Every structure is written in C-alpha cells, then in structure tokens.
Amino acid sequence: AKGEGRNRFSFFTPALQEAALTRVRLANDLRTALVDNQFRVLYQPIIELATGSIHKAEALIRWQHPKRGLVSPAAFIPIAESSGMIVDIGEWVFQQAAAQVQKWRQTLHPEFQISVNRSPVQFRHDDSGQASWGMQMHALGLPGEALVVEITEGLLLDTNAIVGEQLLALGDAGIKVSLDDFGTGYSSLAYLQKFDIDYIKIDQSFVRHLIPESTDLALCKAIIVMAHALGMQVIAEGVETEQQRSLLAAAGCDYGQGYLFARPISASEFETLVKMS
Ligand code: C2E
Ligand code: CA
Ligand code: CA
Ligand code: CA
C-alpha cells in the first residue's frame, strides 16, 4: 500500500529530509489542487461589538487533500508563496469572495463586506496582464467597499514600487485595506496613516490573555484610542471568551472575530447563523 511505502521511506530518512520531501510533494499537489477543485472558502463572522450585528466576514481558504485530508493554510500557504502558486490561488479566493459578497449584499445586509487575505507575493507579482480586483468588482456591479484586503505589516516595509502602486490602486477603486496581526510587526500607527489603512486587526496574542488591569488590556486600549484618532476602525482577533468580548467592547473596540462568536464556517452555515441572530 502507499502508506506503507511512505513509512518505510521515512524509516531510512532523517526527519528534516522527510519534512523537505513533504514540502516538495505538497508543492506538486498544489499544482493540480485548483483544477481538481480541492479548495474551499470558509467564512468567519466579524461582529460589531456595540450591536452584535454581523455584516462582515473574513474569507479563509481550506484545502481538502485527496490523500492527506484537510491541510491547514498555515502548512500550505507558505509553500504556495514560495512556488508562486499563491497568485492563482489568491485570484480564485477573491473570485469566490466577490460572488459571495454580491449575493450577501442582496440577502443579508446591503453593506455586507468580505475580507480577503492578500500575500505580499501577490502584491509583488506584476498583474498588469489581468483585470485588477477593482475592475472585476466593477464588472460585477459591486462598489469597491464591498471588499476588504487584509495585508500584513511587512508589506508596508517593502520598497518595491509595484507594492505601493497596487496599494494606491486598491484605494482608488474604493477597496478597503485592513492591517492583519497588528502588534506583531514594527510599524507605528502614525506610520500607517501614510498608507490609507482603514482597519486595524489586533493580533490574537494580545487578546488571548486579556483580563482586567492587565498590560495587554492597556495595550489594546492604547491601540483603539490611537486608531480612532487616525480615522481607522479596530477589529480584535481571536476573541474566545465572554470576558474578552466585554473588556474589548468597554474599551471601544469596533469589531470582534473569534471562536466565541463562530469558527470559520461554510457559506450556507453562515447564512443560517446570521438569520438566527
Ligand atoms: P489570519 O489571516 O490571521 O486568520 C485568522 C486565523 O485565526 C484563522 O486561521 C482563523 O481560523 C483563526 N481563528 C479565528 N478565530 C480564532 C480564535 O478565537 N482562536 C484561535 N485560536 N484561532 C482563531 P486559519 O483559517 O487556519 O488561517 C491561518 C492563516 O492562513 C491566516 O491567518 C492567513 O494568514 C492564512 N490564510 C488563510 N486563508 C488565506 C487566503 O485565502 N490567502 C492567503 N494569502 N492567506 C490565507
Ligand atoms: Ca487575516
Ligand atoms: Ca481607503
Ligand atoms: Ca490575523
């Protein structure tokens, strides 16, 4: 059997070599995953803390591998980035999300917004040959603000001219920009204003240990006050407990995302959740 062959092989190979081999195999498998329809997009609700209203979601990709089962994005996104496959995969995720937000603006909320993660590799890729996300939104009859592009702080430090041009093009199309994992990088909030960032997502690591009078609470409060002063809204990631939710709401945090509200779920589960809430 195939499983046996793999085990016998790993018996003779050092663990590191096996890990490298796994990467090569996954990179090969990624090539066919798109055409073979092995990807799915799940949606995790982003809750408005003051009202409990759900009119935003983050699109998160899942890979149902024919032999390995569900492979987490943490395992395959880096491989897709180094092999360049992320460009086509990211384009596919965007198209799924655009079709979904078009539907949900009609059925769930007229201002529904979907966030899509966009890798620095996608920003550095010269996409002048294909229709930009702004043009594709326009073709669907969607305003730019129906889409939020999630970027990481590292992208803002990239000096490649293409990156700056693409960020400007997103803004010109009315597409919103969200800064993911805030607090794990090096940028100051004042520096962010230069890039026209609309949302800050406080990283899960600051939310995880949120208790009254903690340093993490002081940090969250400072981020929220400064972001608001600069005209940005704040989303807290990884909200898992009622205490975290109420502390963030009291601190004036605009939105929350996390297992307390819902895990990433299918589009139809999402519709049920919103209709019940
Ligand atoms: P991210 O963008 O920071 O996404 C948030 C991650 O936190 C997701 O993991 C989500 O399932 C998880 N999460 C949400 N709420 C909670 C919570 O309350 N507790 C905990 N412990 N975790 C929570 P996921 O879906 O496994 O994605 C991991 C990363 O993979 C994402 O981190 C993102 O960097 C990347 N990724 C996912 N989908 C895409 C995509 O379509 N394109 C790109 N370029 N990257 C993606
Ligand atoms: Ca994200
Ligand atoms: Ca903007
Ligand atoms: Ca994040």
Side-chain angles (χ1 to χ4, degrees), residues 40-174:
R40 289 205 306 148
V41 178
L42 297 185
Y43 297 91
Q44 188 176 31
I46 296 172
I47 281 78
E48 187 173 50
L49 292 177
T51 61
S53 155
I54 302 175
H55 49 264
K56 294 187 194 319
E58 178 175 4
L60 292 158
I61 193 170
R62 293 291 177 267
W63 182 14
Q64 186 65 48
H65 189 284
K67 296 199 193 89
R68 294 170 191 266
L70 206 60
V71 183
S72 89
F76 77 83
I77 293 287
I79 299 172
E81 289 179 326
S82 56
S83 65
M85 283 294 304
I86 192 69
V87 172
D88 288 342
I89 295 171
E91 198 62 22
W92 179 83
V93 172
F94 159 73
Q95 283 162 5
Q96 300 297 305
Q100 197 61 67
V101 78
Q102 188 182 37
K103 181 178 177 200
W104 285 347
R105 284 200 156 217
Q106 284 154 16
T107 58
L108 298 183
H109 193 287
E111 286 169 15
F112 207 95
Q113 257 182 346
I114 294 184
S115 293
V116 171
N117 295 283
R118 188 170 160 102
S119 152
V121 176
Q122 291 170 268
F123 274 93
R124 286 194 291 266
H125 176 77
D126 179 9
D127 68 348
S128 50
Q130 70 208 51
S132 70
W133 287 6
M135 284 161 67
Q136 294 186 57
M137 299 285 287
H138 186 77
L140 289 169
L142 284 168
E145 71 254 26
L147 183 74
V148 180
V149 171
E150 297 201 2
I151 62 168
T152 46
E153 285 170 87
L155 184 78
L156 303 179
L157 305 173
D158 195 316
T159 52
N160 193 324
I162 288 187
V163 172
E165 282 163 25
Q166 289 206 18
L167 273 174
L168 274 180
L170 289 176
D172 287 346

Side-chain angles (χ1 to χ4, degrees), residues 171 175-177 196-198:
I175 293 170
K176 301 294 174 190
V177 177
D196 189 20
I197 304 289
D198 301 285

